[in-house]
Amino acid sequence: MPHPDPPRRDPAVFEALFRPKAVAVVGASTQPEKLGYQVFRNLTEAGFAGPLHPVNPKADAILGRKAYPSVADLPEPADLAVIIVPARLVPETIRACGRKGTRAAIVISGGFSESGPEGERLQQDAVAAAREAGIALVGPNCQGVNHPYHGLCASWPLLTTRGCMAIASQSGTVGAALMDWAAQEELGVSAFVSMGNRADVDESDLLDYFAADPNTRAIALYIEGIKSVPRFLRAVAGCSKPLVVLKAGRTPKGRKAAESHTRSLAGRDEVYEGAFRQYRIHRAATLEELYDAAKALAYLTRPAGKRICIITSSGGSGILATDAAENAGLDVAPLPEALRAALKPVLPAHCTVANPLDLTGDATAAMYRQVAEAAAPHFDSLVVIFGDPIPGASEVIPAASPHAVICLGGADVEREERARMHRKGLPTFPTPERGVLALSHLTRF
């Protein structure tokens, strides 16, 4: 029988999960090709300041740290345990952790409900052991937890860049990809949780936590099904931060694949669509949209309306942005006559003064800045496309603005300017379509 929904979590268990004082890795390995080695190494290299204890009955030391033969032999309580042992050993390992004072456990191991009836029984045993001991359990069959603000990488790959987006995902690879993209752009994340089978801790618990987390401005969630709809909607209603959801398993065959992956009941897509709209949840159709929307919601300010002005050095990019804006419900409004008159002395004679506003290949950063400053008071937001190598582009748009910046076609200069923008907290987007779609999320609710 499934376990009934637990009451709201004790905040102390999330403190143990995200900000532990000591961590034990049960199943830490001396062999570099094994996850037990890689996760322990990432914990040692991510900057965690507290004690890290490997548990392995066959090793004396791992990565220079004394190894202990069992949880009972640990020299002190570890409030977080990372468990990477065969599934049949997990329930008893959790009981041993409970006797040692552990408050949170991450079970990386697979072989539970996703593998059949015997695995389902083991999973229920593990949950029962965790609840009896007052332990919050993440997983099993998951990729762990990463909390860069605490130097905690109980996951893989090793990523440490701090940012404002929280990521929770049923798929470890999907979540890790989002975190990797954010790290490459130097925007980072506030936290990443791979939920796996969600036997205990689920998306509703994490929404409650991220809603109160001071480092999180927006939440990106990849799910294949909602574990408890009433709890999820209650958590959404209590969260004042924007939530973007990529719900997989939209088609009949996709639903079947979701049931095979994490035993999730994907449900009818039209039901999700209606609930998401009612509860003002940003729905993403693709992985790129999930990332872009979360990035925009975390780093841009909300515009007052949907009137946009497109400023570009590329006529083709301006057309693509216009089509994307029309499809997304944004208004590419005509330039007011006063703005047209103000811009004519600034622009080369061959420029067409219209919206989109094509500055042509003569554009410079100074010209972009003059045009953006003149146009901003007349529109709710700007879509600024740097479609050529534009030295100084990073100085045109300030951080925390309602404007979408798109960079493409500028090669090395573009990459340097884009990195400068990211370092000052101004997100950029790689194509007109993705930038405009991300901007549209800011105007949806």
Side-chain angles (χ1 to χ4, degrees):
M1 292 291 291
H3 293 273
D5 286 341
R8 198 179 183 90
R9 297 279 179 178
D10 177 356
V13 300
F14 283 111
E15 191 70 10
L17 178 63
F18 289 106
R19 297 182 180 277
K21 295 181 177 64
V23 180
V25 179
V26 187
S29 175
T30 58
Q31 300 176 48
E33 70 275 14
K34 292 196 170 182
L35 281 177
Y37 178 92
Q38 295 162 18
V39 171
F40 189 71
R41 182 195 58 200
N42 289 347
L43 278 164
T44 63
E45 295 181 356
F48 182 69
L52 292 170
H53 300 305
V55 177
N56 184 328
K58 298 179 181 177
D60 295 324
I62 298 175
L63 291 171
R65 296 173 191 256
K66 175 179 171 57
Y68 296 89
S70 70
V71 172
D73 293 314
L74 290 172
E76 61 186 334
D79 41 356
L80 173 63
V82 183
I83 299 173
I84 317 171
V85 299
R88 69 181 187 283
L89 303 179
V90 168
E92 183 50 39
T93 300
I94 291 174
R95 292 186 186 94
C97 289
R99 290 191 290 272
K100 200 67 180 179
T102 296
R103 297 303 312 276
I106 301 166
V107 180
I108 305 287
S109 316
F112 292 90
S113 64
E114 80 281 4
S115 64
E118 176 58 20
E120 175 64 32
R121 185 190 65 75
L122 282 172
Q123 182 166 304
Q124 291 185 21
D125 286 350
V127 172
R131 292 187 177 168
E132 184 177 348
I135 292 174
L137 187 157
V138 173
N141 185 30
C142 76
Q143 198 164 322
V145 172
N146 193 327
H147 190 210
Y149 285 93
H150 196 62
L152 180 79
C153 182
S155 181
W156 70 93
L158 174 62
L159 297 168
T160 60
T161 309
R162 299 175 178 181
C164 302
M165 295 178 281
I167 298 169
S169 175
Q170 272 188 265
S171 163
T173 297
V174 167
L178 294 172
M179 190 171 179
D180 190 25
W181 293 349
Q184 287 180 40
E185 293 195 319
E186 300 184 62
L187 295 172
V189 302
S190 58
F192 159 60
V193 180
S194 168
M195 297 183 289
N197 290 3
R198 305 174 301 174
D200 185 37
V201 172
D202 62 20
E203 59 277 1
S204 303
D205 299 311
L206 296 172
L207 274 180
D208 285 339
Y209 177 80
F210 292 136
D213 176 31
N215 299 314
T216 296
R217 294 184 197 159
I219 303 161
L221 178 63
Y222 168 85
I223 52 173
E224 293 160 6
I226 293 175
K227 185 175 168 186
S228 168
V229 172
R231 287 183 63 236
F232 179 73
L233 295 180
R234 188 168 66 240
V236 171
C239 179
S240 62
K241 299 173 183 176
L243 169 64
V244 191
V245 175
L246 174 56
K247 162 67 179 64
R250 303 178 72 162
T251 64
K253 290 187 177 178
R255 288 196 287 274
K256 188 174 181 181
E259 291 178 17
S260 173
H261 180 214
T262 51
R263 303 298 295 169
S264 296
L265 296 177
R268 292 170 55 192
D269 194 65
E270 56 269 30
V271 176
Y272 280 97
E273 185 68 35
F276 286 3
R277 192 179 303 112
Q278 181 181 352
Y279 282 82
R280 303 163 71 91
I281 297 170
H282 297 262
R283 185 166 196 183
T286 66
L287 191 53
E288 290 87 353
E289 187 181 358
L290 175 65
Y291 177 67
D292 293 339
K295 191 166 72 171
L297 290 162
Y299 288 98
L300 298 180
T301 59
R302 187 181 296 272
K306 298 187 176 185
R307 287 166 46 86
I308 66 169
C309 178
I310 299 168
I311 303 170
T312 179
S313 61
S314 159
S317 295
I319 297 167
L320 290 171
T322 302
D323 282 341
E326 289 286 301
N327 290 332
L330 298 176
D331 180 12
V332 186
L335 300 184
E337 190 55 43
L339 177 60
R340 290 168 56 87
L343 289 177
K344 280 190 175 177
V346 176
L347 300 174
H350 55 273
C351 286
T352 301
V353 186
N355 192 7
L357 188 52
D358 183 2
L359 308 184
T360 75
D362 295 329
T364 63
M367 188 187 301
Y368 265 102
R369 188 180 307 110
Q370 284 182 290
V371 172
E373 289 174 354
H378 298 275
F379 294 89
D380 299 311
S381 59
L382 307 177
V383 173
V384 181
I385 305 172
F386 296 107
D388 293 282
I390 308 287
S394 57
E395 301 302 318
V396 172
I397 299 297
S401 77
H403 310 315
V405 175
I406 294 143
C407 301
L408 76 167
D412 289 342
V413 171
E414 173 201 322
R415 285 183 274 277
E416 292 171 8
E417 295 297 328
R418 191 174 56 208
R420 291 190 181 104
M421 286 186 246
H422 289 158
R423 282 196 287 272
K424 72 177 186 180
L426 176 64
T428 71
F429 302 90
T431 68
E433 295 93 330
R434 287 178 60 174
V436 168
L437 185 56
L439 178 64
S440 74
H441 278 275
L442 292 168
T443 69
R444 288 195 179 180
F445 305 116

